[in-house]
Amino acid sequence: MSRVVALTWADVDQVRWGEVAAFKVSKADLASAGLTFDVVDFDGLEVEIAAFQIESGEVAMIGSGHNSPDLLSLAVAADAEAAPEEFMVALGVEFEWSEWQPLR
């Protein structure tokens, strides 16, 4: 069960992003968890993202370009103390780490 609050791009447009990690996860599962994907211009790239907040109040966004529909990148706010995996667990969906490692 999802323990997150869906946010819009307008809610997180000015957030400074920190750690980024990649996960294999279904967008349909994320939609079932309450997330809504929007197509946005992120640093000159058109990407599909969904933003959300976990119970601690920390925010993240997850999304992908059109070339990798099941390999999604999760970016957490720079001031977040929760690890990327904790954000994924809060969503209550099945996921696995990709071959990429989280970056700090």
Side-chain angles (χ1 to χ4, degrees), residues 15 17 29 35 41 47 64 66 71 78-79 89 96 98:
V15 169
W17 299 104
D29 288 349
L35 299 187
D41 181 328
V47 294
S64 70
H66 297 294
L71 181 62
D79 62 353
V89 168
E96 60 184 72
S98 77

Side-chain angles (χ1 to χ4, degrees), residues 22 24 71 96-101:
K24 292 180 183 175
L71 181 62
E96 60 184 72
W97 283 99
S98 77
E99 64 277 6
W100 300 345
Q101 295 298 309

Side-chain angles (χ1 to χ4, degrees), residues 6 8 11-12 16 18 25 28-29 35 37 47 52 54 61-62 68 70 74 78 97 99 102:
T8 67
D11 295 326
V12 298
R16 198 173 111 250
V25 61
D29 288 349
L35 299 187
F37 284 87
V47 294
F52 62 99
I54 60 175
M61 69 174 172
I62 190 165
S68 59
D70 291 328
L74 176 88
W97 283 99
E99 64 277 6

